Amino acid sequence: MNIENIIKFKNHPNIVFFDKNGKVNDQFIFILKNKFNCFNSYDDVFKNITYEKNNVYYKFDCRFNQNNIFEFLNKIVKTNIFEKGIFYLLFLNFDCLKNENQGQILSFFKYYNYKFIIFTNNLNKTTQSFKSRCIIYRVKNNLINKNDFLIDTINYIYHKIFLKSDKNLY
């Protein structure tokens, strides 16, 4: 499965990329930059939270950003930056984030319609409530496994449309 097909129409749900090798994040970011012509990005800091931003996404590395994440996300929302074109929040190494911080990020799923893209190499360290609100793509050999893609997509459609539930079959 090609990552470009996933983001082609920008109408996908929140996504978790489970990649034991940790290489799909670079591929995804490269495709975002090419697709939306956003090659000018820069690093910034907010209360010890370092992040990369441009006119399409904010990228956080969760290994280094444990504190004040909820406060920072509230700051982003109040600036209305997403109305100016930024529509992705990318979280690298999400398995390093503490469960309580995952819960804070999860609260944004309920109230805001931004695209959350999570990259993890240990799916077991991602809370079940988080996984149940995302489509999970398993990456094998630097490619998204087509069978897993279909299973996750069918699971998502079945629960969202037919059962009108956020529960996941996993």
Side-chain angles (χ1 to χ4, degrees):
M1 173 52 70
N2 190 331
I3 292 178
E4 289 181 47
N5 291 336
I6 294 172
I7 61 171
K8 186 174 185 177
F9 300 107
K10 298 182 277 186
N11 62 351
H12 57 78
N14 298 309
I15 297 174
V16 174
F17 284 106
F18 172 45
D19 180 14
K20 290 185 179 181
N21 297 323
K23 295 180 181 179
V24 74
N25 56 353
D26 293 332
Q27 184 183 7
F28 185 87
I29 291 167
F30 178 77
I31 290 170
L32 275 181
K33 287 181 176 182
N34 280 332
K35 180 163 181 56
F36 301 109
N37 198 20
C38 59
F39 294 101
N40 296 329
S41 58
Y42 61 95
D43 294 334
D44 205 349
V45 178
F46 171 81
K47 291 188 178 183
N48 297 328
I49 295 176
T50 56
Y51 59 97
E52 178 185 320
K53 70 179 185 177
N54 61 26
N55 62 333
V56 175
Y57 67 81
Y58 275 74
K59 179 180 82 171
F60 306 90
D61 190 339
C62 296
R63 288 180 296 176
F64 310 112
N65 295 318
Q66 290 287 327
N67 301 320
N68 303 318
I69 193 73
F70 188 71
E71 182 181 352
F72 179 67
L73 291 175
N74 276 323
K75 177 187 177 265
I76 292 173
V77 170
K78 290 177 183 173
T79 61
N80 297 321
I81 194 81
F82 290 94
E83 294 174 3
K84 298 175 186 172
I86 295 177
F87 50 89
Y88 285 104
L89 290 172
L90 309 174
F91 294 90
L92 281 62
N93 301 304
F94 196 73
D95 48 285
C96 297
L97 203 60
K98 298 175 186 172
N99 286 353
E100 57 269 13
N101 290 341
Q102 288 184 30
Q104 290 176 338
I105 294 171
L106 185 61
S107 68
F108 277 83
F109 279 34
K110 298 174 186 175
Y111 302 110
Y112 304 105
N113 293 320
Y114 308 133
K115 301 295 183 188
F116 288 81
I117 308 297
I118 309 300
F119 300 95
T120 184
N121 61 8
N122 188 346
L123 195 58
N124 293 330
K125 291 189 177 182
T126 304
T127 62
Q128 184 60 36
S129 57
F130 218 104
K131 291 187 283 190
S132 69
R133 288 172 176 82
C134 300
I135 288 185
I136 300 172
Y137 295 110
R138 290 166 182 82
V139 180
K140 297 177 184 173
N141 301 324
N142 294 330
L143 296 172
I144 297 173
N145 186 294
K146 188 172 185 176
N147 291 333
D148 289 334
F149 169 76
L150 291 174
I151 290 168
D152 289 336
T153 304
I154 291 168
N155 182 31
Y156 175 81
I157 291 169
Y158 175 74
H159 284 289
K160 286 291 186 179
I161 296 175
F162 295 109
L163 295 181
K164 296 184 181 188
S165 166
D166 286 334
K167 292 184 180 176
N168 204 332
L169 291 176
Y170 297 110

